[in-house]
Amino acid sequence: MKNYVILNVVNEGRVELHDQLGLTGAEISINTLPAGVGVPFVHYHKTNEEIYYVFDGKGYVVIDKEKLEIAAGSWLRIAPEARRQFFASNDASISYVCIQVKGNSLEGYTMTDAVVE
């Protein structure tokens, strides 16, 4: 078995990559909301924080009842317990990546975990 997976994904509204990539430490999804549409529920997590990257369009997110405008280029980190809901603007769709990882689990990062040969 190889030590990597390469995948070509066509965004079809929502694509979860956990199973397709065989992820063992994160959940990643690609999401698109059409203009004027929002995620139909508020949610939070028990242990997982979420990192969002908006790569196209614009809209807003409501986090703990606070409305925040977001657009292409926006990055967000949301704590597990924060209540959140995403919306596209009325005049544009929004596309974003969501990376979900266990909060406070990072033991190393590039500068402390990488081994240079």
Side-chain angles (χ1 to χ4, degrees):
M1 186 162 105
K2 295 182 180 181
N3 288 330
Y4 62 88
V5 176
I6 296 175
L7 181 66
N8 186 4
V9 176
V10 176
N11 191 352
E12 300 171 350
R14 179 173 171 85
V15 178
E16 293 184 4
L17 300 177
H18 180 267
D19 292 335
Q20 295 176 41
L21 289 175
L23 300 176
T24 64
E27 170 64 273
I28 301 174
S29 63
I30 304 168
N31 305 269
T32 295
L33 296 171
V37 172
V39 172
F41 54 86
V42 175
H43 80 285
Y44 71 97
H45 290 275
K46 296 174 188 172
T47 59
N48 291 346
E49 66 185 7
E50 291 182 323
I51 302 101
Y52 291 89
Y53 173 63
V54 179
F55 62 89
D56 190 43
K58 62 182 181 174
Y60 64 94
V61 59
V62 177
I63 303 172
D64 290 337
K65 300 182 181 179
E66 182 179 353
K67 181 179 176 180
L68 304 164
E69 301 292 327
I70 53 176
S74 296
W75 282 91
L76 299 92
R77 180 262 178 193
I78 304 177
E81 63 276 3
R83 272 58 175 174
R84 70 211 66 174
Q85 187 174 17
F86 282 77
F87 300 86
S89 69
N90 286 329
D91 61 347
S93 63
I94 189 169
S95 295
Y96 56 92
V97 174
C98 176
I99 304 165
Q100 196 177 129
V101 296
K102 184 175 182 181
N104 299 308
S105 66
L106 186 63
E107 295 178 2
Y109 61 102
T110 302
M111 298 307 291
T112 61
D113 187 56
V115 177
V116 179
E117 295 184 337

